[in-house]
Amino acid sequence: MRLLHTSDWHLGRSFHRVPLLNAQAAFLDHLVATARAREVDAVLVSGDVYDRAVPPLAAVELFDRALHRLADLGVPTVMISGNHDSARRLGVGAGLLDRAGIHLRTDPEGCATPVVLTDAHGDIALYGLPYLEPALVKDTLRAARAGHEAVLTAAMDKVRADLAARPATTRSVVLAHAFVAGGEPSDSERDITVGGVAAVPAGVFDGVDYVALGHLHGSQRVTGRVRYSGSPLAYSFSEADHRKTMWLIELDGSGAIAAEERIDCPVERPLARLRGRLDTLLEDPALDRHEHAWVEATLTDPVRPADPMARLAARFPHILNLVFDPERPPEDPLASYAQRLKGRDDHQIAEDFVAHVRGGSGPSDPERTVLRAAFDDVRVDESVREVSR
């Protein structure tokens, strides 16, 4: 059984205000061509099909054309909703699309209802676990508590129970959209932290042959059987070193991975992160290779130079982002506020603020709990309001 695993298309997203629809269309052309040329048995799309709950019309039309082309190939496609998608909107017409071989799994109650395919070795059950917002699905899944690990465990318990009732030769694949411990994040994934915890252990998925993950944008193995395909395009400069690919996975009759391959996605324009003093960036011949890339430049001049963006654009016409990080000793009181906050999440910043206004005394443990709950409530409320718009 040959599976093509992809995720995190984020259709409709732009890159520093540059529209990416043409690049996303080129990727979908590549996806369809790969499915045809490599004679895949199923395409797996592990969430974040769209970039937001109410996508622009052009993104919806692009998605619609891709579904028609996959259906015309006769290649079954299994697709789940991610944390950027509106599960209800994406799932509209799922029953009708099933008949065309496009299997949308957006309802948590359908976690244990697999798409069953058959080859010479028997059945393979593909289970789709849409993104599970803990506060919203805890009761539906009868989870022990409202946390990522708890709701995913509850969903996987249902999957394992269904699988146990099938013939012992049945192979199994799970699609899920989650942050699994051991995965390497980038700057472009939306925070899904609940109760101070974003990641779940890979052991949650024990008992299945392959886990096709979405959410993190870098292609990577968490374990041999648990993998992220990553996004097909770069969506932040933190992904400048990513190799954007899809996984082509072949399962043998026992469910073991008999073959694997990373299929490269088309790159419309590479990314480059440059750092140094302005004169160096303008004159260094070693940077010639970046003149046609999307560029983020970090200037380290002690004093901000005049017209830096215009001067850099003369050499790097596709520069999109300019950062100032002047060379100063670590103890310099003029070190930027942004630099002091770098790498700190909202909750840590709030704790620092409490310590600052109290003259050094940070929040107590009960106060930390209140702060954490407040941030969780705001994030969940924003998700609910975005979906209900």
Side-chain angles (χ1 to χ4, degrees), residues 281-329:
L281 298 186
L282 292 175
E283 298 168 5
D284 187 352
L287 302 181
D288 288 351
R289 61 194 177 96
H290 299 306
E291 290 179 357
H292 299 289
W294 298 125
V295 169
E296 177 185 75
T298 299
L299 297 183
T300 59
D301 302 71
V303 177
R304 184 176 299 214
D307 299 321
M309 193 67 163
R311 294 164 69 186
L312 284 166
R315 183 179 187 187
F316 306 104
H318 304 290
I319 186 169
L320 296 179
N321 196 37
L322 186 60
V323 180
F324 292 96
D325 187 17
E327 296 170 347
R328 291 187 178 125

mmCIF file of all heavy atoms in Angstrom, residues 281-329:
data_model
loop_
_atom_site.group_PDB
_atom_site.id
_atom_site.type_symbol
_atom_site.label_atom_id
_atom_site.label_comp_id
_atom_site.label_asym_id
_atom_site.label_seq_id
_atom_site.Cartn_x
_atom_site.Cartn_y
_atom_site.Cartn_z
ATOM 1 N N LEU A 281 26.740 43.564 3.989
ATOM 2 C CA LEU A 281 25.684 42.926 3.212
ATOM 3 C C LEU A 281 25.645 43.475 1.788
ATOM 4 O O LEU A 281 25.298 42.751 0.853
ATOM 5 C CB LEU A 281 24.330 43.135 3.888
ATOM 6 C CG LEU A 281 24.170 42.535 5.292
ATOM 7 C CD1 LEU A 281 22.731 42.692 5.759
ATOM 8 C CD2 LEU A 281 24.578 41.071 5.327
ATOM 9 N N LEU A 282 25.991 44.727 1.610
ATOM 10 C CA LEU A 282 25.943 45.327 0.279
ATOM 11 C C LEU A 282 27.146 44.954 -0.584
ATOM 12 O O LEU A 282 27.061 44.975 -1.811
ATOM 13 C CB LEU A 282 25.864 46.846 0.394
ATOM 14 C CG LEU A 282 24.561 47.415 0.989
ATOM 15 C CD1 LEU A 282 24.682 48.924 1.157
ATOM 16 C CD2 LEU A 282 23.371 47.062 0.114
ATOM 17 N N GLU A 283 28.269 44.586 0.059
ATOM 18 C CA GLU A 283 29.512 44.414 -0.699
ATOM 19 C C GLU A 283 30.027 42.983 -0.745
ATOM 20 O O GLU A 283 30.828 42.646 -1.632
ATOM 21 C CB GLU A 283 30.599 45.317 -0.091
ATOM 22 C CG GLU A 283 30.268 46.802 -0.159
ATOM 23 C CD GLU A 283 31.198 47.644 0.701
ATOM 24 O OE1 GLU A 283 32.157 47.068 1.261
ATOM 25 O OE2 GLU A 283 30.947 48.861 0.817
ATOM 26 N N ASP A 284 29.607 42.113 0.152
ATOM 27 C CA ASP A 284 30.171 40.763 0.241
ATOM 28 C C ASP A 284 29.801 39.948 -1.002
ATOM 29 O O ASP A 284 28.629 39.637 -1.229
ATOM 30 C CB ASP A 284 29.650 40.081 1.501
ATOM 31 C CG ASP A 284 30.312 38.731 1.751
ATOM 32 O OD1 ASP A 284 31.067 38.266 0.867
ATOM 33 O OD2 ASP A 284 30.065 38.140 2.810
ATOM 34 N N PRO A 285 30.784 39.533 -1.834
ATOM 35 C CA PRO A 285 30.468 38.751 -3.038
ATOM 36 C C PRO A 285 29.895 37.370 -2.727
ATOM 37 O O PRO A 285 29.223 36.768 -3.571
ATOM 38 C CB PRO A 285 31.815 38.656 -3.759
ATOM 39 C CG PRO A 285 32.851 38.886 -2.709
ATOM 40 C CD PRO A 285 32.231 39.828 -1.726
ATOM 41 N N ALA A 286 30.122 36.859 -1.518
ATOM 42 C CA ALA A 286 29.594 35.549 -1.148
ATOM 43 C C ALA A 286 28.063 35.550 -1.076
ATOM 44 O O ALA A 286 27.432 34.486 -1.069
ATOM 45 C CB ALA A 286 30.170 35.105 0.195
ATOM 46 N N LEU A 287 27.479 36.755 -1.021
ATOM 47 C CA LEU A 287 26.018 36.853 -0.925
ATOM 48 C C LEU A 287 25.349 36.978 -2.291
ATOM 49 O O LEU A 287 24.120 37.106 -2.362
ATOM 50 C CB LEU A 287 25.636 38.056 -0.052
ATOM 51 C CG LEU A 287 26.192 38.054 1.378
ATOM 52 C CD1 LEU A 287 25.710 39.279 2.137
ATOM 53 C CD2 LEU A 287 25.804 36.784 2.113
ATOM 54 N N ASP A 288 26.137 36.898 -3.364
ATOM 55 C CA ASP A 288 25.555 36.995 -4.709
ATOM 56 C C ASP A 288 24.442 35.963 -4.927
ATOM 57 O O ASP A 288 23.439 36.242 -5.593
ATOM 58 C CB ASP A 288 26.632 36.796 -5.779
ATOM 59 C CG ASP A 288 27.587 37.989 -5.885
ATOM 60 O OD1 ASP A 288 27.304 39.021 -5.241
ATOM 61 O OD2 ASP A 288 28.600 37.863 -6.594
ATOM 62 N N ARG A 289 24.611 34.774 -4.365
ATOM 63 C CA ARG A 289 23.654 33.686 -4.601
ATOM 64 C C ARG A 289 22.285 33.964 -3.995
ATOM 65 O O ARG A 289 21.315 33.266 -4.308
ATOM 66 C CB ARG A 289 24.212 32.371 -4.042
ATOM 67 C CG ARG A 289 24.457 32.382 -2.545
ATOM 68 C CD ARG A 289 25.309 31.193 -2.107
ATOM 69 N NE ARG A 289 25.612 31.230 -0.686
ATOM 70 C CZ ARG A 289 24.909 30.578 0.237
ATOM 71 N NH1 ARG A 289 23.848 29.855 -0.125
ATOM 72 N NH2 ARG A 289 25.236 30.664 1.501
ATOM 73 N N HIS A 290 22.192 34.975 -3.129
ATOM 74 C CA HIS A 290 20.910 35.287 -2.488
ATOM 75 C C HIS A 290 20.173 36.447 -3.173
ATOM 76 O O HIS A 290 19.123 36.867 -2.693
ATOM 77 C CB HIS A 290 21.124 35.646 -1.017
ATOM 78 C CG HIS A 290 21.730 34.535 -0.212
ATOM 79 N ND1 HIS A 290 21.187 33.270 -0.175
ATOM 80 C CD2 HIS A 290 22.842 34.511 0.573
ATOM 81 C CE1 HIS A 290 21.937 32.509 0.608
ATOM 82 N NE2 HIS A 290 22.945 33.230 1.077
ATOM 83 N N GLU A 291 20.694 36.941 -4.268
ATOM 84 C CA GLU A 291 20.107 38.145 -4.864
ATOM 85 C C GLU A 291 18.729 37.907 -5.472
ATOM 86 O O GLU A 291 17.998 38.860 -5.728
ATOM 87 C CB GLU A 291 21.072 38.721 -5.907
ATOM 88 C CG GLU A 291 22.327 39.326 -5.252
ATOM 89 C CD GLU A 291 23.309 39.894 -6.254
ATOM 90 O OE1 GLU A 291 23.055 39.768 -7.483
ATOM 91 O OE2 GLU A 291 24.342 40.457 -5.825
ATOM 92 N N HIS A 292 18.366 36.634 -5.694
ATOM 93 C CA HIS A 292 17.047 36.332 -6.239
ATOM 94 C C HIS A 292 16.144 35.651 -5.207
ATOM 95 O O HIS A 292 15.071 35.158 -5.559
ATOM 96 C CB HIS A 292 17.188 35.456 -7.483
ATOM 97 C CG HIS A 292 17.959 36.117 -8.587
ATOM 98 N ND1 HIS A 292 17.451 37.173 -9.316
ATOM 99 C CD2 HIS A 292 19.221 35.902 -9.053
ATOM 100 C CE1 HIS A 292 18.349 37.566 -10.203
ATOM 101 N NE2 HIS A 292 19.432 36.827 -10.057
ATOM 102 N N ALA A 293 16.576 35.638 -3.955
ATOM 103 C CA ALA A 293 15.809 34.990 -2.884
ATOM 104 C C ALA A 293 14.915 36.006 -2.169
ATOM 105 O O ALA A 293 15.121 37.215 -2.255
ATOM 106 C CB ALA A 293 16.765 34.343 -1.885
ATOM 107 N N TRP A 294 13.885 35.476 -1.464
ATOM 108 C CA TRP A 294 13.214 36.296 -0.473
ATOM 109 C C TRP A 294 14.202 36.479 0.676
ATOM 110 O O TRP A 294 14.755 35.503 1.194
ATOM 111 C CB TRP A 294 11.963 35.606 0.069
ATOM 112 C CG TRP A 294 10.867 35.302 -0.904
ATOM 113 C CD1 TRP A 294 10.290 34.094 -1.142
ATOM 114 C CD2 TRP A 294 10.150 36.240 -1.737
ATOM 115 N NE1 TRP A 294 9.287 34.195 -2.071
ATOM 116 C CE2 TRP A 294 9.178 35.499 -2.460
ATOM 117 C CE3 TRP A 294 10.244 37.608 -1.944
ATOM 118 C CZ2 TRP A 294 8.307 36.090 -3.370
ATOM 119 C CZ3 TRP A 294 9.383 38.202 -2.854
ATOM 120 C CH2 TRP A 294 8.428 37.460 -3.547
ATOM 121 N N VAL A 295 14.430 37.712 1.087
ATOM 122 C CA VAL A 295 15.499 37.998 2.044
ATOM 123 C C VAL A 295 14.950 38.626 3.316
ATOM 124 O O VAL A 295 14.090 39.514 3.271
ATOM 125 C CB VAL A 295 16.561 38.931 1.414
ATOM 126 C CG1 VAL A 295 17.527 39.461 2.471
ATOM 127 C CG2 VAL A 295 17.323 38.207 0.305
ATOM 128 N N GLU A 296 15.467 38.143 4.444
ATOM 129 C CA GLU A 296 15.326 38.819 5.730
ATOM 130 C C GLU A 296 16.725 39.245 6.150
ATOM 131 O O GLU A 296 17.626 38.400 6.253
ATOM 132 C CB GLU A 296 14.730 37.894 6.785
ATOM 133 C CG GLU A 296 14.646 38.542 8.161
ATOM 134 C CD GLU A 296 14.167 37.572 9.225
ATOM 135 O OE1 GLU A 296 14.967 36.699 9.631
ATOM 136 O OE2 GLU A 296 12.992 37.677 9.645
ATOM 137 N N ALA A 297 16.924 40.527 6.373
ATOM 138 C CA ALA A 297 18.240 41.051 6.733
ATOM 139 C C ALA A 297 18.214 41.563 8.169
ATOM 140 O O ALA A 297 17.336 42.350 8.530
ATOM 141 C CB ALA A 297 18.653 42.165 5.782
ATOM 142 N N THR A 298 19.164 41.117 8.956
ATOM 143 C CA THR A 298 19.338 41.611 10.314
ATOM 144 C C THR A 298 20.594 42.476 10.343
ATOM 145 O O THR A 298 21.706 41.985 10.102
ATOM 146 C CB THR A 298 19.459 40.452 11.313
ATOM 147 O OG1 THR A 298 18.267 39.671 11.285
ATOM 148 C CG2 THR A 298 19.677 40.985 12.724
ATOM 149 N N LEU A 299 20.416 43.768 10.603
ATOM 150 C CA LEU A 299 21.538 44.709 10.618
ATOM 151 C C LEU A 299 22.105 44.818 12.027
ATOM 152 O O LEU A 299 21.363 44.997 13.001
ATOM 153 C CB LEU A 299 21.093 46.087 10.129
ATOM 154 C CG LEU A 299 20.588 46.162 8.684
ATOM 155 C CD1 LEU A 299 20.259 47.606 8.325
ATOM 156 C CD2 LEU A 299 21.605 45.572 7.712
ATOM 157 N N THR A 300 23.421 44.718 12.115
ATOM 158 C CA THR A 300 24.084 44.761 13.418
ATOM 159 C C THR A 300 24.866 46.053 13.629
ATOM 160 O O THR A 300 25.622 46.168 14.596
ATOM 161 C CB THR A 300 25.031 43.555 13.555
ATOM 162 O OG1 THR A 300 26.009 43.599 12.499
ATOM 163 C CG2 THR A 300 24.264 42.241 13.461
ATOM 164 N N ASP A 301 24.687 47.040 12.729
ATOM 165 C CA ASP A 301 25.386 48.328 12.897
ATOM 166 C C ASP A 301 25.058 48.921 14.271
ATOM 167 O O ASP A 301 23.885 48.936 14.687
ATOM 168 C CB ASP A 301 24.929 49.308 11.819
ATOM 169 C CG ASP A 301 25.180 48.792 10.417
ATOM 170 O OD1 ASP A 301 24.462 47.843 10.011
ATOM 171 O OD2 ASP A 301 26.064 49.312 9.746
ATOM 172 N N PRO A 302 26.062 49.442 14.998
ATOM 173 C CA PRO A 302 25.793 50.056 16.309
ATOM 174 C C PRO A 302 24.817 51.225 16.225
ATOM 175 O O PRO A 302 24.047 51.477 17.155
ATOM 176 C CB PRO A 302 27.173 50.515 16.775
ATOM 177 C CG PRO A 302 28.136 49.668 16.014
ATOM 178 C CD PRO A 302 27.491 49.409 14.689
ATOM 179 N N VAL A 303 24.866 51.963 15.093
ATOM 180 C CA VAL A 303 23.953 53.074 14.867
ATOM 181 C C VAL A 303 23.143 52.767 13.613
ATOM 182 O O VAL A 303 23.703 52.344 12.593
ATOM 183 C CB VAL A 303 24.719 54.398 14.691
ATOM 184 C CG1 VAL A 303 23.751 55.536 14.385
ATOM 185 C CG2 VAL A 303 25.539 54.702 15.932
ATOM 186 N N ARG A 304 21.827 52.989 13.682
ATOM 187 C CA ARG A 304 20.977 52.673 12.541
ATOM 188 C C ARG A 304 21.397 53.485 11.324
ATOM 189 O O ARG A 304 21.396 54.720 11.353
ATOM 190 C CB ARG A 304 19.521 52.954 12.893
ATOM 191 C CG ARG A 304 18.539 52.565 11.805
ATOM 192 C CD ARG A 304 17.107 52.770 12.234
ATOM 193 N NE ARG A 304 16.743 51.963 13.397
ATOM 194 C CZ ARG A 304 15.529 51.437 13.597
ATOM 195 N NH1 ARG A 304 14.574 51.627 12.699
ATOM 196 N NH2 ARG A 304 15.272 50.746 14.667
ATOM 197 N N PRO A 305 21.729 52.796 10.210
ATOM 198 C CA PRO A 305 22.157 53.534 9.016
ATOM 199 C C PRO A 305 20.981 54.187 8.294
ATOM 200 O O PRO A 305 19.818 53.827 8.513
ATOM 201 C CB PRO A 305 22.801 52.445 8.148
ATOM 202 C CG PRO A 305 22.165 51.177 8.608
ATOM 203 C CD PRO A 305 21.824 51.355 10.059
ATOM 204 N N ALA A 306 21.300 55.118 7.411
ATOM 205 C CA ALA A 306 20.257 55.832 6.667
ATOM 206 C C ALA A 306 19.732 54.971 5.522
ATOM 207 O O ALA A 306 20.492 54.287 4.841
ATOM 208 C CB ALA A 306 20.830 57.132 6.116
ATOM 209 N N ASP A 307 18.420 55.009 5.314
ATOM 210 C CA ASP A 307 17.743 54.341 4.192
ATOM 211 C C ASP A 307 18.183 52.894 3.985
ATOM 212 O O ASP A 307 18.505 52.479 2.861
ATOM 213 C CB ASP A 307 17.966 55.116 2.889
ATOM 214 C CG ASP A 307 17.410 56.525 2.957
ATOM 215 O OD1 ASP A 307 16.324 56.691 3.543
ATOM 216 O OD2 ASP A 307 18.061 57.447 2.436
ATOM 217 N N PRO A 308 18.211 52.068 5.030
ATOM 218 C CA PRO A 308 18.746 50.712 4.855
ATOM 219 C C PRO A 308 17.908 49.839 3.920
ATOM 220 O O PRO A 308 18.465 49.072 3.131
ATOM 221 C CB PRO A 308 18.760 50.158 6.280
ATOM 222 C CG PRO A 308 17.692 50.928 7.001
ATOM 223 C CD PRO A 308 17.749 52.307 6.411
ATOM 224 N N MET A 309 16.582 49.963 3.990
ATOM 225 C CA MET A 309 15.741 49.091 3.170
ATOM 226 C C MET A 309 15.944 49.387 1.686
ATOM 227 O O MET A 309 16.093 48.472 0.867
ATOM 228 C CB MET A 309 14.270 49.255 3.556
ATOM 229 C CG MET A 309 13.354 48.181 3.005
ATOM 230 S SD MET A 309 13.721 46.566 3.742
ATOM 231 C CE MET A 309 12.224 45.654 3.336
ATOM 232 N N ALA A 310 15.952 50.674 1.322
ATOM 233 C CA ALA A 310 16.128 51.042 -0.076
ATOM 234 C C ALA A 310 17.500 50.617 -0.586
ATOM 235 O O ALA A 310 17.639 50.136 -1.718
ATOM 236 C CB ALA A 310 15.943 52.544 -0.241
ATOM 237 N N ARG A 311 18.524 50.768 0.235
ATOM 238 C CA ARG A 311 19.875 50.400 -0.184
ATOM 239 C C ARG A 311 20.015 48.886 -0.340
ATOM 240 O O ARG A 311 20.637 48.404 -1.299
ATOM 241 C CB ARG A 311 20.889 50.955 0.819
ATOM 242 C CG ARG A 311 20.939 52.487 0.818
ATOM 243 C CD ARG A 311 21.640 53.034 2.050
ATOM 244 N NE ARG A 311 23.072 52.735 2.037
ATOM 245 C CZ ARG A 311 23.874 53.015 3.067
ATOM 246 N NH1 ARG A 311 23.385 53.581 4.173
ATOM 247 N NH2 ARG A 311 25.158 52.720 3.002
ATOM 248 N N LEU A 312 19.409 48.140 0.564
ATOM 249 C CA LEU A 312 19.450 46.680 0.444
ATOM 250 C C LEU A 312 18.646 46.203 -0.761
ATOM 251 O O LEU A 312 19.038 45.256 -1.449
ATOM 252 C CB LEU A 312 18.921 46.034 1.726
ATOM 253 C CG LEU A 312 19.878 46.055 2.921
ATOM 254 C CD1 LEU A 312 19.123 45.711 4.197
ATOM 255 C CD2 LEU A 312 21.036 45.073 2.706
ATOM 256 N N ALA A 313 17.510 46.861 -1.016
ATOM 257 C CA ALA A 313 16.656 46.447 -2.139
ATOM 258 C C ALA A 313 17.354 46.625 -3.483
ATOM 259 O O ALA A 313 17.024 45.936 -4.454
ATOM 260 C CB ALA A 313 15.351 47.232 -2.113
ATOM 261 N N ALA A 314 18.326 47.540 -3.546
ATOM 262 C CA ALA A 314 19.059 47.718 -4.799
ATOM 263 C C ALA A 314 19.863 46.471 -5.142
ATOM 264 O O ALA A 314 20.061 46.148 -6.317
ATOM 265 C CB ALA A 314 19.985 48.927 -4.683
ATOM 266 N N ARG A 315 20.313 45.749 -4.113
ATOM 267 C CA ARG A 315 21.048 44.500 -4.357
ATOM 268 C C ARG A 315 20.141 43.283 -4.246
ATOM 269 O O ARG A 315 20.293 42.326 -5.008
ATOM 270 C CB ARG A 315 22.212 44.365 -3.367
ATOM 271 C CG ARG A 315 23.030 43.097 -3.649
ATOM 272 C CD ARG A 315 24.203 42.884 -2.736
ATOM 273 N NE ARG A 315 24.979 41.742 -3.209
ATOM 274 C CZ ARG A 315 26.003 41.207 -2.555
ATOM 275 N NH1 ARG A 315 26.391 41.715 -1.388
ATOM 276 N NH2 ARG A 315 26.652 40.157 -3.060
ATOM 277 N N PHE A 316 19.227 43.317 -3.270
ATOM 278 C CA PHE A 316 18.326 42.183 -3.025
ATOM 279 C C PHE A 316 16.893 42.646 -3.305
ATOM 280 O O PHE A 316 16.181 43.071 -2.388
ATOM 281 C CB PHE A 316 18.452 41.687 -1.587
ATOM 282 C CG PHE A 316 19.859 41.343 -1.173
ATOM 283 C CD1 PHE A 316 20.585 42.204 -0.354
ATOM 284 C CD2 PHE A 316 20.462 40.182 -1.627
ATOM 285 C CE1 PHE A 316 21.883 41.892 0.024
ATOM 286 C CE2 PHE A 316 21.770 39.861 -1.247
ATOM 287 C CZ PHE A 316 22.487 40.725 -0.424
ATOM 288 N N PRO A 317 16.455 42.630 -4.551
ATOM 289 C CA PRO A 317 15.157 43.223 -4.900
ATOM 290 C C PRO A 317 13.964 42.525 -4.263
ATOM 291 O O PRO A 317 12.875 43.098 -4.245
ATOM 292 C CB PRO A 317 15.117 43.089 -6.432
ATOM 293 C CG PRO A 317 16.102 42.017 -6.765
ATOM 294 C CD PRO A 317 17.170 42.107 -5.726
ATOM 295 N N HIS A 318 14.162 41.331 -3.706
ATOM 296 C CA HIS A 318 13.054 40.611 -3.082
ATOM 297 C C HIS A 318 13.173 40.600 -1.555
ATOM 298 O O HIS A 318 12.646 39.698 -0.896
ATOM 299 C CB HIS A 318 12.990 39.182 -3.619
ATOM 300 C CG HIS A 318 12.885 39.117 -5.111
ATOM 301 N ND1 HIS A 318 11.748 39.501 -5.793
ATOM 302 C CD2 HIS A 318 13.795 38.755 -6.056
ATOM 303 C CE1 HIS A 318 11.954 39.355 -7.096
ATOM 304 N NE2 HIS A 318 13.177 38.913 -7.277
ATOM 305 N N ILE A 319 13.839 41.601 -1.009
ATOM 306 C CA ILE A 319 13.912 41.693 0.445
ATOM 307 C C ILE A 319 12.526 41.997 1.007
ATOM 308 O O ILE A 319 11.793 42.828 0.479
ATOM 309 C CB ILE A 319 14.940 42.763 0.887
ATOM 310 C CG1 ILE A 319 15.098 42.735 2.426
ATOM 311 C CG2 ILE A 319 14.568 44.151 0.382
ATOM 312 C CD1 ILE A 319 16.271 43.563 2.926
ATOM 313 N N LEU A 320 12.167 41.287 2.071
ATOM 314 C CA LEU A 320 10.832 41.426 2.645
ATOM 315 C C LEU A 320 10.837 41.892 4.093
ATOM 316 O O LEU A 320 9.849 42.447 4.560
ATOM 317 C CB LEU A 320 10.092 40.075 2.579
ATOM 318 C CG LEU A 320 9.785 39.511 1.197
ATOM 319 C CD1 LEU A 320 9.082 38.166 1.338
ATOM 320 C CD2 LEU A 320 8.923 40.479 0.407
ATOM 321 N N ASN A 321 11.922 41.658 4.795
ATOM 322 C CA ASN A 321 11.897 41.951 6.229
ATOM 323 C C ASN A 321 13.253 42.482 6.676
ATOM 324 O O ASN A 321 14.302 41.980 6.248
ATOM 325 C CB ASN A 321 11.554 40.679 7.015
ATOM 326 C CG ASN A 321 11.133 40.983 8.444
ATOM 327 O OD1 ASN A 321 10.463 41.982 8.695
ATOM 328 N ND2 ASN A 321 11.507 40.131 9.385
ATOM 329 N N LEU A 322 13.199 43.507 7.512
ATOM 330 C CA LEU A 322 14.418 44.138 8.013
ATOM 331 C C LEU A 322 14.349 44.165 9.536
ATOM 332 O O LEU A 322 13.359 44.609 10.122
ATOM 333 C CB LEU A 322 14.533 45.562 7.460
ATOM 334 C CG LEU A 322 15.816 46.329 7.757
ATOM 335 C CD1 LEU A 322 17.030 45.597 7.195
ATOM 336 C CD2 LEU A 322 15.728 47.741 7.178
ATOM 337 N N VAL A 323 15.420 43.661 10.167
ATOM 338 C CA VAL A 323 15.502 43.577 11.632
ATOM 339 C C VAL A 323 16.752 44.324 12.076
ATOM 340 O O VAL A 323 17.798 44.250 11.425
ATOM 341 C CB VAL A 323 15.576 42.099 12.090
ATOM 342 C CG1 VAL A 323 15.666 42.022 13.613
ATOM 343 C CG2 VAL A 323 14.384 41.312 11.580
ATOM 344 N N PHE A 324 16.645 45.053 13.184
ATOM 345 C CA PHE A 324 17.804 45.740 13.741
ATOM 346 C C PHE A 324 18.212 45.060 15.041
ATOM 347 O O PHE A 324 17.400 44.901 15.956
ATOM 348 C CB PHE A 324 17.489 47.218 13.993
ATOM 349 C CG PHE A 324 17.274 48.007 12.734
ATOM 350 C CD1 PHE A 324 15.998 48.230 12.252
ATOM 351 C CD2 PHE A 324 18.358 48.500 12.012
ATOM 352 C CE1 PHE A 324 15.785 48.944 11.085
ATOM 353 C CE2 PHE A 324 18.158 49.211 10.850
ATOM 354 C CZ PHE A 324 16.874 49.432 10.377
ATOM 355 N N ASP A 325 19.470 44.655 15.100
ATOM 356 C CA ASP A 325 20.028 44.021 16.300
ATOM 357 C C ASP A 325 21.434 44.572 16.488
ATOM 358 O O ASP A 325 22.425 43.905 16.196
ATOM 359 C CB ASP A 325 20.052 42.498 16.131
ATOM 360 C CG ASP A 325 20.472 41.783 17.405
ATOM 361 O OD1 ASP A 325 20.440 42.413 18.485
ATOM 362 O OD2 ASP A 325 20.842 40.592 17.318
ATOM 363 N N PRO A 326 21.519 45.828 16.960
ATOM 364 C CA PRO A 326 22.831 46.488 17.027
ATOM 365 C C PRO A 326 23.803 45.763 17.955
ATOM 366 O O PRO A 326 23.405 45.175 18.969
ATOM 367 C CB PRO A 326 22.487 47.892 17.547
ATOM 368 C CG PRO A 326 21.149 47.759 18.182
ATOM 369 C CD PRO A 326 20.432 46.673 17.449
ATOM 370 N N GLU A 327 25.067 45.802 17.558
ATOM 371 C CA GLU A 327 26.118 45.184 18.368
ATOM 372 C C GLU A 327 26.327 46.024 19.621
ATOM 373 O O GLU A 327 26.778 47.170 19.553
ATOM 374 C CB GLU A 327 27.408 45.107 17.540
ATOM 375 C CG GLU A 327 27.296 44.205 16.329
ATOM 376 C CD GLU A 327 28.491 44.340 15.393
ATOM 377 O OE1 GLU A 327 29.281 45.304 15.571
ATOM 378 O OE2 GLU A 327 28.626 43.512 14.479
ATOM 379 N N ARG A 328 25.992 45.441 20.760
ATOM 380 C CA ARG A 328 26.172 46.132 22.037
ATOM 381 C C ARG A 328 26.603 45.103 23.069
ATOM 382 O O ARG A 328 26.259 43.928 22.958
ATOM 383 C CB ARG A 328 24.858 46.767 22.509
ATOM 384 C CG ARG A 328 24.382 47.960 21.675
ATOM 385 C CD ARG A 328 23.178 48.598 22.340
ATOM 386 N NE ARG A 328 22.724 49.768 21.598
ATOM 387 C CZ ARG A 328 21.500 49.944 21.159
ATOM 388 N NH1 ARG A 328 20.583 49.020 21.355
ATOM 389 N NH2 ARG A 328 21.169 51.049 20.518
ATOM 390 N N PRO A 329 27.313 45.525 24.101
ATOM 391 C CA PRO A 329 27.662 44.575 25.164
ATOM 392 C C PRO A 329 26.392 44.087 25.863
ATOM 393 O O PRO A 329 25.390 44.819 25.934
ATOM 394 C CB PRO A 329 28.543 45.406 26.101
ATOM 395 C CG PRO A 329 28.250 46.832 25.762
ATOM 396 C CD PRO A 329 27.878 46.865 24.320
#
